[in-house]
Amino acid sequence: MAIDAGLLEQADQTGRALLRLYRFLPSCLSLGRNEPARKRYDRDAIARLGIDVVRRPTGGRAVWHEHEVTYAVAGPITAFGVDSGRGAACCAPTYRAIHRRLAAALRTLGVDATLAPDRPPPPSTTLHRLNSCFATPVGGEVLVAGRKLIGSAQLRHGQAFLQHGSILLDGSQDVIRAVSCRPSAASGETTLSAVLGRPVTFDEVVDAIVRTWGEAVTSTVLHRPPPSSTALFLDPAWTWRR
Amino acid sequence: MSKTPSDLRYTEEHEYVKETDDKSVVQVGITDYAQGELGDVVYVDLPKLGATFGRMDVFGTIEAVKAVSELYAPLAGTVTAVNPALEGDPALVNRDPYGEGWMIKLRVKNPKELDQLLGSEEYKKHIGE
């Protein structure tokens, strides 16, 4: 999280767009920036299961990061040929532009990935109560046969944005249900392995994204986040602030 | 077509400024266009009473669906009120952005800054309506 937050700072300061592909080790539960986590999740159950928890700087709901490719894109608000402007109301064009690129990469693997319509019907009260990021697709998200394959969230800061998300390789989001205080319905995700009927590796998805991204992608040394952001994401007062 | 009342002033970042009965205090929120583009608002993070801001300082954040965006103070000033109803019902911003969905009230430091804001026709042009 600290590295992603550092990428956002870097994008805001330099105007450069940055792509990062990574994975979590150990597996981890991430919470959305403003999720009411203290009443939504059972901290005793989380401790009992030995689950690492981090609160993201971006919005959205909980994600269980286990079998996935995690991506982060930080860039100026004019990146990807989209002048999405500053302030509220402007995230959707960038959200869609990044998802179009990711969907194109997945199609090279044989996945029939499409983007959800911009204005889906508003979720019902029941759906609002679902805790997982993958519970309900919103406009511009990547779907396969109507099920969500990539869960993403965004933060806009100054003249830049950070969008990061999970491309599911395998497994499920059932951990979220297991640590939720209230029973919730099954999540609506799918995975690349389920779609293609074979194991899909981290490396082949990363290769597909790098191959199709559009601009030159070069390996870089690991970006070192400022110590202040590392401290923030390690602080339980941030993780459990709501 | 979104609502852009002619008696309000606007920023390019989609905040509005509305006069109140107290001539030195204005009401601030986001526009009808902004709430429509954002979608369902799920959380609004607002400052504490007495907080002071310069013009275009970030005074809070708003989360809708998956994105967290910054809110900018249209004018320099001191926060004299924060809408308590948004804590329990942030969707008020969607339902009534210029009324019950207001965010903060600001005691304006420099009234001349009002001249730097957009009028409704300028704001409509800015959003392409």
Side-chain angles (χ1 to χ4, degrees), chain A residues 33-34 58-60 86-91 95 119 123 128 133 138 141 148 152-158 242, chain B residues 12-15 30 33-34 36-40 43 45 56 61-63 65-72 87:
Chain A
R33 180 189 186 100
N34 295 315
T58 51
R86 207 167 78 125
C90 303
C91 62
Y95 203 68
R119 298 282 181 182
H128 269 308
C133 166
V138 300
E141 291 195 310
K148 196 164 157 180
S152 301
Q154 198 180 107
L155 168 66
R156 302 176 73 86
H157 168 64
R242 295 191 73 215
Chain B
E12 289 186 350
E13 288 75 17
H14 312 291
E15 287 82 18
I30 64 164
Y33 170 80
E37 290 293 305
L38 283 170
D40 292 348
Y43 189 72
D45 201 3
M56 300 317 289
T61 60
I62 183 166
E63 177 174 347
V65 193
K66 296 301 169 70
V68 175
S69 305
E70 293 173 327
L71 299 164
Y72 297 93
E87 172 72 25

Side-chain angles (χ1 to χ4, degrees), chain A residues 8 12 77 85-87 156-161, chain B residues 58 70 72:
Chain A
L8 174 61
D12 193 32
I77 54 181
R86 207 167 78 125
R156 302 176 73 86
H157 168 64
Q159 299 290 336
F161 71 87
Chain B
V58 175
E70 293 173 327
Y72 297 93

Side-chain angles (χ1 to χ4, degrees), chain A residues 131-224:
Chain A
N131 294 343
S132 166
C133 166
F134 286 89
T136 51
V138 300
E141 291 195 310
V142 178
L143 308 179
V144 179
R147 298 179 77 85
K148 196 164 157 180
L149 182 63
I150 302 177
S152 301
Q154 198 180 107
L155 168 66
R156 302 176 73 86
H157 168 64
Q159 299 290 336
F161 71 87
L162 165 67
Q163 179 171 318
H164 54 192
S166 300
I167 304 165
L168 299 182
L169 298 175
D170 205 349
S172 78
Q173 296 289 304
D174 287 350
V175 166
I176 297 171
R177 294 169 67 197
V179 299
S180 294
C181 293
R182 293 179 187 168
S184 60
S187 190
E189 78 272 9
T190 190
T191 69
L192 285 172
S193 295
V195 168
L196 293 176
R198 63 172 178 83
V200 178
T201 67
F202 177 88
D203 287 342
E204 66 179 304
V205 175
V206 167
D207 287 346
I209 294 170
V210 170
R211 218 172 33 241
T212 59
W213 190 251
E215 285 94 20
V217 177
T218 55
S219 296
T220 59
V221 292
L222 185 65
H223 176 79
R224 295 202 177 280

Side-chain angles (χ1 to χ4, degrees), chain B residues 51-97:
Chain B
T52 60
F53 296 99
R55 179 171 140 73
M56 300 317 289
D57 281 355
V58 175
F59 74 82
T61 60
I62 183 166
E63 177 174 347
V65 193
K66 296 301 169 70
V68 175
S69 305
E70 293 173 327
L71 299 164
Y72 297 93
L75 305 164
T78 303
V79 177
T80 62
V82 175
N83 188 352
L86 295 185
E87 172 72 25
D89 189 5
L92 282 170
V93 174
N94 297 113
R95 294 200 300 274
D96 189 13

Side-chain angles (χ1 to χ4, degrees), chain A residues 39-55:
Chain A
K39 67 178 178 189
R40 193 171 276 179
Y41 304 109
D42 181 345
R43 291 179 69 173
D44 290 338
I46 287 171
R48 222 170 26 248
L49 293 168
I51 291 171
D52 276 3
V53 183
V54 68
R55 189 183 283 271

